[in-house]
Amino acid sequence: MASIESKKKDSLSSTSTSFSSDTTVSKTKKTNVVQEEPKKKGFPYGIVIGLIILIAIIVVLIFNFWIIIGIIGIIIIFVIILAIWNAISISKDKKILEEYEKTHCKKMEVDGHQMNYGMAGENNTTTIIILPGFSLTSPIIEFKSLSDNLSDKYRIVIPEALGYGFSDTTDKERTPENIVSELHEVIGKLGIKNYYLMAHSFGGIYCLEWANQYPNEVLGFIGIDVSVPKQITLPELKNDCKMITKFCGLMNFLKALGILRFLYTIKREKAIPTIDPNHKNYTKEDIDTVIRIALTRSYNKTVAKEGNYIPKTLVEMCDKKFPENVPVLNFVKIRSPDGNIYKPWVDIHHEVITNTTHSEVVELDGDHILHVCFKNEIVNKIKEWIP
């Protein structure tokens, strides 16, 4: 392949929605931007709720003080009912998860704790290790769609880091070095010597650390809109780190009040955005299990500690890049959350690469969870890219 360079496209608007294997790309080059298919608009719940609140405010202003007291009382009673319902349901959920754990989980002792891991395509020789984004509820189940589509050719290993899924929690500091050491211990005990790393979102930071700690083991890295250390330098993204540090506290508050359970109940089919709705191998048990984990195990002390460490992690790793012997295939979304083309995000995904012979940056016009909306394109490109 050619040296690192970016092809300018004639027009983003003329970009094809297809992702053909014969698309001309340069190493750490921009391939054709693939646009996500337009999504069907669902019922406008947000608008309806907003109108109800507006009407309630108008009624309160028109009538009198006692209406205000009545509305507040109704809200308090509703929240109390939710909290009681949640407390009763948690006990039931934990018992169901315990039974699920006995029949579905593979565990290994790591640093005195039990770490859960999943494996598919055991008989294949080439291994891909998948790491999730920050605070993902159940990495094994939520990456099932991608795993099922790659396991015909590769051995897929998905370790659930301590604090995630069915793995134990830990009081150990959630530094990149500690997290990578724990995950690497599982791979070592499985007897896997060489492998590709794959990650989504903040899992890319740990893969970057992993590749630098064990460069002779890592054959390459595949990133799905991953975090990179230099994002801490982008003004538009600095607030993201502040939000992450408060995220677990907010989610635990919503869990305790039963509000999170209520939201998952009324929007069950869309409760977990990382679940591929078009993947036929997902079962009702899979969906129920992810929701139960989210309502009983997720956002725990270990994950919260990791979230608090993220800003420091990005600062400390700001100048770190992948070793020259580790090729990179980065799938990157091209737009910021406000919908505008955001070139700095794409640029920093080029900058983290040093390999000049077999690296690519593939730009996709979709949301952050690219492996759901562009699953087929990503799977096909991976099979083309890995020899």
Side-chain angles (χ1 to χ4, degrees):
M1 293 208 173
S3 60
I4 298 179
E5 59 180 359
S6 298
K7 281 190 177 181
K8 294 183 178 179
K9 285 157 279 300
D10 295 335
S11 171
L12 280 175
S13 62
S14 65
T15 303
S16 171
T17 57
S18 64
F19 188 95
S20 59
S21 59
D22 60 345
T23 300
T24 304
V25 289
S26 58
K27 307 163 202 130
T28 84
K29 55 185 178 217
K30 300 177 182 177
T31 60
N32 288 352
V33 176
V34 182
Q35 294 182 335
E36 182 180 3
E37 293 184 5
K39 299 178 180 177
K40 295 181 180 179
K41 294 184 178 179
F43 187 79
Y45 293 101
I47 295 176
V48 173
I49 293 172
L51 287 173
I52 292 173
I53 293 174
L54 179 60
I55 292 171
I57 292 173
I58 292 173
V59 169
V60 167
L61 293 176
I62 292 176
F63 291 92
N64 55 49
F65 171 78
W66 293 108
I67 292 181
I68 299 176
I69 298 299
I71 292 174
I72 294 174
I74 291 172
I75 292 173
I76 292 174
I77 292 172
F78 179 66
V79 171
I80 290 174
I81 292 172
L82 285 183
I84 294 172
W85 170 48
N86 184 59
I88 295 172
S89 299
I90 283 177
S91 177
K92 179 182 176 182
D93 288 341
K94 286 182 177 179
K95 290 179 180 179
I96 295 174
L97 289 176
E98 286 174 3
E99 293 302 314
Y100 181 95
E101 193 171 4
K102 292 175 183 177
T103 57
H104 290 74
C105 294
K106 301 176 183 177
K107 295 197 174 185
M108 188 175 293
E109 184 173 335
V110 174
D111 197 26
H113 301 281
Q114 292 295 311
M115 184 180 289
N116 189 39
Y117 69 94
M119 186 182 294
E122 290 92 335
N123 296 326
N124 296 318
T125 54
T126 302
T127 300
I128 299 177
I129 299 165
I130 301 179
L131 301 188
F134 170 70
S135 78
L136 197 71
T137 302
S138 176
I140 293 172
I141 296 178
E142 290 174 72
F143 275 98
K144 182 177 180 178
S145 176
L146 198 59
S147 173
D148 286 351
N149 281 272
L150 288 170
S151 59
D152 62 326
K153 189 174 180 181
Y154 311 108
R155 173 170 51 186
I156 306 298
V157 181
I158 306 177
E160 293 187 330
L162 296 178
Y164 287 70
F166 283 98
S167 294
D168 291 349
T169 57
T170 178
D171 292 323
K172 196 170 185 178
E173 287 299 312
R174 297 292 82 198
T175 65
E177 295 82 2
N178 288 343
I179 292 173
V180 168
S181 175
E182 293 159 2
L183 294 169
H184 184 264
E185 186 175 340
V186 170
I187 304 307
K189 288 183 176 180
L190 289 173
I192 301 172
K193 304 297 182 183
N194 296 100
Y195 42 81
Y196 288 86
L197 295 174
M198 180 190 295
H200 173 244
S201 197
F202 203 78
I205 295 295
Y206 301 129
C207 285
L208 176 59
E209 177 65 29
W210 191 323
N212 278 276
Q213 282 193 33
Y214 308 99
N216 296 326
E217 297 181 12
V218 179
L219 300 172
F221 169 68
I222 302 161
I224 304 175
D225 206 40
V226 291
S227 297
V228 290
K230 280 198 173 180
Q231 71 187 58
I232 194 71
T233 66
L234 301 179
E236 298 85 350
L237 299 180
K238 282 189 175 181
N239 286 334
D240 288 359
C241 290
K242 295 178 182 178
M243 291 172 60
I244 286 174
T245 59
K246 300 175 182 177
F247 178 73
C248 288
L250 173 63
M251 296 304 285
N252 281 320
F253 176 72
L254 295 177
K255 275 202 308 182
L257 292 181
I259 295 174
L260 195 60
R261 183 177 296 276
F262 176 71
L263 294 175
Y264 280 163
T265 300
I266 64 175
K267 297 190 71 174
R268 181 184 177 280
E269 296 303 321
K270 297 181 179 180
I272 311 294
T274 48
I275 294 287
D276 181 1
N278 299 315
H279 188 55
K280 296 179 180 180
N281 287 357
Y282 275 122
T283 65
K284 181 179 182 299
E285 183 182 40
D286 289 332
I287 308 299
D288 289 344
T289 299
V290 175
I291 291 175
R292 287 190 176 105
I293 294 174
L295 294 172
T296 59
R297 295 173 177 247
S298 293
Y299 320 114
N300 53 64
K301 62 178 182 178
T302 302
V303 175
K305 189 176 289 187
E306 178 189 349
N308 291 335
Y309 208 90
I310 282 176
K312 184 178 180 181
T313 293
L314 294 176
V315 170
E316 291 179 346
M317 294 179 63
C318 197
D319 296 322
K320 189 165 285 190
K321 299 182 179 184
F322 283 96
E324 191 171 347
N325 67 312
V326 177
V328 174
L329 174 61
N330 262 336
F331 296 96
V332 185
K333 71 170 185 174
I334 62 172
R335 296 183 187 273
S336 60
D338 60 12
N340 295 319
I341 299 295
Y342 192 47
K343 189 174 180 296
W345 179 248
V346 178
D347 290 343
I348 60 177
H349 284 82
H350 282 276
E351 294 170 9
V352 79
I353 301 170
T354 58
N355 177 278
T356 59
T357 59
H358 189 50
S359 293
E360 300 181 33
V361 173
V362 181
E363 298 178 14
L364 298 173
D365 192 1
D367 61 29
H368 181 52
I369 311 173
L370 294 173
H371 53 290
V372 171
C373 52
F374 290 107
K375 178 185 66 182
N376 293 332
E377 291 85 349
I378 288 175
V379 167
N380 291 336
K381 183 61 182 178
I382 289 171
K383 291 181 177 180
E384 171 194 321
W385 185 73
I386 296 179

